[in-house]
Amino acid sequence: MGCRTCEKPKMNYRKGLWSPEEDQRLRDYILNHGLSCWSAVPAKAGLQRNGKSCRLRWINYLRPGLKRGIFSQEEEQIVMSLQAQLGNKWSQIAAHLPGRTDNEVKNYWNSYLKKRVAKAEGSAGSSSTISSADSTGHNRNPRDEESNKITPPLSTEPLEVSNLDSGQTITTSSNQCSSSKGAADALLPKVLFSDWLAFDQENNLSLPSLNDGSNCINWGSRSTCLYANEGLQMDQQFSSEYEHEAAVQIPGGGFFDLLFMGGGYGSFNTNYDACF
DNA sequence: AAGGCGAGCAACCGCTCGTTA
DNA sequence: ATAACGAGCGGTTGCTCGCCT
């Protein structure tokens, strides 16, 4: 993991908020060179930041696929449930929330959910559930309709996602990996496939078969297990471009159910192509 | 209009863990 | 075995912005 060959010039690192120019430099550099050694990134990208700051900025803000905006009710439920279950394991909790970062989950918990949970516990017994309405009684998520491209499964049962790179078979704690639509779809979040595509992936994705009959697409350091629903040809090729220009061409349409190594689980509806 | 205040969020800090030499 | 290093994580800080007076 170490990167001893990286140059580490001693310099006065800039701190504070990132300017658009800095964002652009970092984004451009990573897009062109990919991720390697964070400590080398600032010098190579022409930034007066330390590598740690660059990493954080990328992960929490610049990385493609991030879902900005207010948490949906389902996301809130997942956070509250997993927090009760796992404690402050924000990265693990965030892994169950496609497009959310650990920092975002942590901030949301600290600034909002924690108070609600405390309040609910304070009045324990009087109410068994914590509603999504805020203290004013209003639904505090007016953008839900627009932002709910991603709707995590209502079940907070932890997904058991094994390591594809190790060649292990993928299993989950539920039947969410079933290749049939219908009941499974009810559990599947709808997520833009492009949201999940890392910027550094190549356009040509191979689909090696796994031993459970599913397929796996690999790019960069990420592996994604791809389960096909009816009407989907598994040997179809994908293409995508970065971020807003992203496009996924999947002839025939239909749903993809995607099981991600990181623990997320989603489905992709090609009808969403128009969203790009 | 201006100042105070609090909420929300971006980013920093310090620590731990994993990897490498 | 161990020191050195980078990456990752969680806690915390401090800035910004909107609301209220």
Side-chain angles (χ1 to χ4, degrees):
Chain A
M1 183 186 277
C3 187
R4 286 152 207 243
T5 57
C6 298
E7 312 133 46
K8 286 196 305 175
K10 205 75 179 178
M11 55 190 296
N12 288 327
Y13 295 120
R14 192 176 128 81
K15 292 184 178 181
L17 294 179
W18 281 65
S19 68
E21 290 75 22
E22 287 178 303
D23 282 344
Q24 194 57 48
R25 279 178 182 270
L26 180 58
R27 192 199 312 267
D28 286 346
Y29 176 80
I30 296 178
L31 284 175
N32 289 326
H33 300 91
L35 292 173
S36 53
C37 176
W38 281 113
S39 59
V41 166
K44 292 180 178 176
L47 292 165
Q48 289 190 310
R49 299 273 181 172
N50 63 23
K52 209 170 178 177
S53 180
C54 291
R55 175 186 162 271
L56 218 61
R57 184 64 177 172
W58 173 256
I59 289 174
N60 291 329
Y61 197 82
L62 298 175
R63 180 165 54 106
L66 292 179
K67 183 187 176 193
R68 318 292 301 178
I70 303 169
F71 280 55
S72 68
Q73 288 186 28
E74 288 79 10
E75 286 176 307
E76 287 183 0
Q77 291 297 328
I78 289 172
V79 172
M80 289 189 287
S81 171
L82 290 177
Q83 203 280 336
Q85 194 177 323
L86 302 170
N88 297 347
K89 303 292 183 184
W90 304 118
S91 60
Q92 291 180 38
I93 295 172
H96 291 265
L97 298 167
R100 301 291 187 186
T101 67
D102 53 356
N103 204 39
E104 196 176 9
V105 172
K106 177 176 60 182
N107 282 334
Y108 192 67
W109 171 264
N110 286 331
S111 61
Y112 182 71
L113 289 181
K114 187 163 70 177
K115 297 167 191 170
R116 266 208 1 238
V117 169
K119 197 174 178 180
E121 284 174 351
S123 58
S126 59
S127 172
S128 60
T129 59
I130 303 169
S131 87
S132 174
D134 62 16
S135 56
T136 67
H138 295 107
N139 184 328
R140 42 155 296 286
N141 199 351
R143 291 195 299 176
D144 266 4
E145 287 185 14
E146 193 280 328
S147 64
N148 269 0
K149 292 168 186 172
I150 297 170
T151 309
L154 289 170
S155 166
T156 56
E157 191 90 357
L159 294 173
E160 296 169 5
V161 184
S162 58
N163 189 339
L164 294 184
D165 290 330
S166 69
Q168 294 174 309
T169 302
I170 292 177
T171 58
T172 69
S173 55
S174 70
N175 288 330
Q176 291 177 331
C177 280
S178 162
S179 62
S180 63
K181 279 177 73 73
D185 274 354
L187 294 171
L188 298 176
K190 304 298 182 290
V191 56
L192 292 180
F193 186 63
S194 61
D195 285 344
W196 283 94
L197 293 179
F199 71 96
D200 57 342
Q201 75 207 50
E202 298 303 325
N203 286 340
N204 295 323
L205 303 175
S206 59
L207 297 170
S209 294
L210 298 178
N211 55 4
D212 63 351
S214 65
N215 291 58
C216 179
I217 57 179
N218 296 290
W219 61 81
S221 59
R222 181 184 294 201
S223 297
T224 296
C225 176
L226 182 63
Y227 287 84
N229 277 333
E230 52 208 330
L232 177 67
Q233 301 295 315
M234 290 306 290
D235 59 355
Q236 287 171 345
Q237 291 291 309
F238 298 78
S239 68
S240 72
E241 294 171 13
Y242 169 62
E243 220 181 13
H244 301 301
E245 290 77 41
V248 180
Q249 301 295 327
I250 304 173
F255 280 90
F256 280 80
D257 293 343
L258 301 174
L259 177 61
F260 293 94
M261 265 196 72
Y265 191 74
S267 69
F268 171 66
N269 182 352
T270 56
N271 294 330
Y272 280 129
D273 279 351
C275 295
F276 307 123

